[in-house]
Amino acid sequence: LISPARRRAVIDHVRQTLHVSERRACAALGQHRSTQRKTPKGRDDEAALTADIVALARQYGRYGYRKIAELLRTWAGWVVNDKRVERIWRQEGLKVPAKQPKRGRLWLADGSCVRLRAERRDHVWSYDFVEDRTHDGRKYRMLNIVDEFTHECLAIRVARRLRSIDVIDVLSDLFILRGVPAHIRSDNGPEFVAKAVQAWIGAVGSSTAYIAPGSPWENGYIESFNARLRDELLDGEIFYSLKEARIVIETWRRHYNAVRPHASLGYRAPAPEVHVPALAAWPPALATAAPAATLPLAQSPAAN
């Protein structure tokens, strides 16, 4: 579709080239004469809204316009629809995160997220490991645990080495805080299929649900979380020590649960808080503040 401004420019060019009247040029191109003469004016709040959108795009570089629109409505008090945000988004040349290609699925194992679907809070948990490196090249591992029904990240344990005893340690703390889930889904990694882990999980009243070997798509919830963790945090951060990694990753986890809009939840956070502490703001501060922005999230938590 050609925008009205582009149509006006085309009609002016036709009039100058063919030396015809405005009435004839508008009739030939299907443009109403009133739109040809009247220049549209933007809204009074267009500049402020644009500044807030740019500030959020800088702060959350991997969010699309739909998540940005939800943050504007929830945290900045804007009454704006997704179409207007999308128009400004494209007008400013902001980047929309690329979607992953769709794959064909083979749901065969009883432990897959289709055969065993979460029906309530703390019904099915899933966990998995993610690896990364600090600035000195040394590896560290993260044990991620997610509630599949609420999509809440329950814990991220960061250490140089994580074994089966560490899995039991993290789960025991969560069982005390939230209770024992009915099922715990995982792949067939040695830390999860260890006899000590299976015996301990069975002793506390839960059951393990293992996916088919070599089928990570059957554990889709935790795999999706791992992708968001790497895309929104790990690929954009350099950690110089393990302690720094633990603090920043825990900050991101709290933001993920309390602030980040989730498309699968109707662009709501999994565990929103009435008062979001400074530690839940991610990232902690903008490198450069957007001019004329009125969004509270663009400020540094240290200033609160």
Side-chain angles (χ1 to χ4, degrees):
L1 296 178
I2 303 178
S3 63
R6 179 61 178 169
R7 284 178 176 269
R8 287 193 297 270
V10 170
I11 290 176
D12 291 339
H13 177 72
V14 169
R15 291 182 58 194
Q16 295 175 4
T17 304
L18 302 180
H19 303 286
V20 297
S21 65
E22 178 186 283
R23 183 190 302 273
R24 187 172 182 180
C26 288
L29 297 179
Q31 176 86 328
H32 199 277
R33 294 180 63 193
S34 63
T35 60
Q36 179 67 20
R37 296 182 177 183
K38 182 179 179 181
T39 303
K41 297 181 180 179
R43 301 185 184 182
D44 296 337
D45 59 352
E46 190 81 1
L49 178 59
T50 302
D52 282 352
I53 292 175
V54 172
L56 278 174
R58 289 178 178 175
Q59 193 169 4
Y60 307 108
R62 297 299 299 168
Y63 286 8
Y65 73 89
R66 291 184 179 90
K67 286 187 174 65
I68 296 298
E70 183 59 32
L71 289 176
L72 288 170
R73 291 188 290 263
T74 304
W75 298 100
W78 283 97
V79 181
V80 62
N81 58 21
D82 291 354
K83 291 183 178 180
R84 187 182 179 192
V85 175
E86 181 185 13
R87 175 178 60 80
I88 299 176
W89 183 273
R90 297 185 182 278
Q91 176 183 312
E92 295 296 321
L94 299 175
K95 182 180 181 300
V96 179
K99 294 183 178 180
Q100 295 185 2
K102 294 184 178 180
R103 303 177 183 177
R105 305 303 187 192
L106 296 176
W107 309 106
L108 302 176
D110 293 337
S112 70
C113 57
V114 168
R115 295 292 182 87
L116 177 60
R117 190 179 296 274
E119 300 176 355
R120 62 186 182 277
R121 185 176 183 265
D122 296 329
H123 180 210
V124 181
W125 292 359
S126 59
Y127 55 178
D128 196 10
F129 286 104
V130 173
E131 281 192 359
D132 201 20
R133 293 178 182 269
T134 51
H135 186 258
D136 56 6
R138 298 177 60 191
K139 288 184 179 180
Y140 67 92
R141 305 186 77 190
M142 291 159 280
L143 173 60
N144 304 329
I145 305 178
V146 173
D147 186 328
E148 293 189 358
F149 186 79
T150 63
H151 298 191
E152 180 182 0
C153 177
L154 306 179
I156 301 180
R157 172 67 66 88
V158 182
R160 293 293 182 186
R161 297 180 61 188
L162 290 171
R163 296 169 294 184
S164 58
I165 189 64
D166 299 300
V167 174
I168 296 176
D169 182 51
V170 176
L171 290 178
S172 61
D173 292 340
L174 291 176
F175 288 176
I176 294 174
L177 293 175
R178 299 177 61 99
V180 179
H183 306 277
I184 302 179
R185 193 193 324 271
S186 69
D187 57 22
N188 296 270
E191 302 87 356
F192 302 137
V193 300
K195 293 182 178 180
V197 175
Q198 296 185 25
W200 183 84
I201 291 178
V204 297
S206 184
S207 63
T208 56
Y210 295 110
I211 64 175
S215 304
W217 54 84
E218 294 188 1
N219 202 3
Y221 290 95
I222 192 64
E223 293 293 342
S224 175
F225 174 80
N226 293 343
R228 302 286 79 73
L229 172 64
R230 188 169 298 280
D231 182 55
E232 297 177 8
L233 176 64
L234 301 181
D235 288 347
E237 292 288 336
I238 298 177
F239 300 130
Y240 292 92
S241 65
L242 189 63
K243 183 177 181 180
E244 180 186 5
R246 287 171 176 166
I247 294 174
V248 175
I249 291 172
E250 177 62 18
T251 301
W252 182 88
R253 185 189 72 86
R254 297 191 182 187
H255 166 83
Y256 181 90
N257 290 334
V259 178
R260 183 187 185 275
H262 290 235
S264 57
L265 301 177
Y267 292 95
R268 296 293 186 269
E273 298 179 0
V274 176
H275 172 69
V276 181
L279 188 60
W282 175 257
L286 291 174
T288 57
T294 60
L295 192 68
L297 287 180
Q299 299 176 357
S300 172
N304 296 332

